[in-house]
Amino acid sequence: MRVLGIETSCDETGVALYDTQAGLLADTLYSQIAMHAEYGGVVPELASRDHTRKLLPLIQETLASAGLGRDDIDGIAYTAGPGLVGALMVGAATAHGMARALNIPVLGVHHMEGHLLAPMLEEEPPAFPFIALLVSGGHTQLVEVQGLGQYRLLGESVDDAAGEAFDKAAKMLELDYPGGPAVARLAELGDPTRFRFPRPMTDRPGLDFSFSGLKTHTLITANTLRETGELDDQGRADIARAFEDAVVDTLVIKCRRALDQTGLKRLVVAGGVSANVRLRKRLEEETAKRGARAFYPRSRFCTDNGAMIAYVGAQRLLAGERDDSAMKAVPRWPLAELMPPAA
């Protein structure tokens, strides 16, 4: 079964073609980062308009890369949520229109389920069950995964997601958007011994996260250095390093607890922040200590992409799931609401 995947949840337009026998055939991605950088963050109306402008050309490009035509598609999957409602509607409308014209099934899938299963696109995918750390601009969650649609939420952020905290820290340090990569680059130049920031909610039991206090601590430190004239390039780098170390340590501690509590030996790390080099290094060390193993998607599949949507859609379409005639766009959609495919 060949499934076209469409991702338009936020600021990246992703399209991919996945074959359940041959694997990923082609994927293309257009990022709106340059457009939104002028405003220091995503502008929803501009995002929607850009998806409208780019989506159909990307579909044509993806099919051409695979050497196939529209009649070779057996099904279409699109991101139905969570995300920006206008951006979601662009993908939903395009997917439903194409599916009706081609008389093939169409299915709206969960964006975070796509991230969670993105490592399945790799040569050595993880086997079920496993623990998943979903860490992105909008979500920080620990999930126990027993199978497709069999998810138990173990912990999540009670305020800012880790990726969102990175973006806000970047603004405090007067760095360009997107904040995560900018903070990570600057942190490489920082002195790891100058500051030690708090590791939120690690001094109590549980698997929930909180990054708002860390964000406040970062702001206070930056303002203090600004008042004393010490917020120079090195001062910013030292703050970036202390902030990154605090986020990484917090995530690692919670992952360690989740593995210990469940007894599982596989850890999947997905979402935009999973590309962070320091986080990957620390998790590799921690899983090795426990005789466990960490799995990641390749770098280009850490951020939003059509391949992960095509993969999830293919698994669920094969099981007989499909939309009715109504398009689906759900800006807020808890992962825990998902169910396994009907037997």
Side-chain angles (χ1 to χ4, degrees), residues 216-287:
T216 302
H217 190 92
T218 304
L219 179 61
I220 292 172
T221 305
N223 286 341
T224 299
L225 292 192
R226 187 175 287 110
E227 291 169 2
T228 60
E230 297 177 272
L231 193 62
D232 53 13
D233 289 345
Q234 188 59 51
R236 289 188 176 87
D238 294 344
I239 291 174
R241 178 59 186 267
F243 174 84
E244 184 184 50
D245 281 348
V247 172
V248 168
D249 280 354
T250 300
L251 295 173
V252 170
I253 290 168
K254 298 290 185 170
C255 286
R256 183 171 64 213
R257 286 184 187 174
L259 291 169
D260 290 346
Q261 288 179 20
T262 61
L264 295 177
K265 297 296 184 181
R266 288 178 288 271
L267 174 69
V268 161
V269 189
V273 182
S274 70
N276 183 279
V277 174
R278 206 176 307 281
L279 176 62
R280 289 195 177 203
K281 182 173 184 291
R282 288 291 313 285
L283 287 174
E284 291 286 350
E285 294 169 353
E286 287 297 325
T287 51

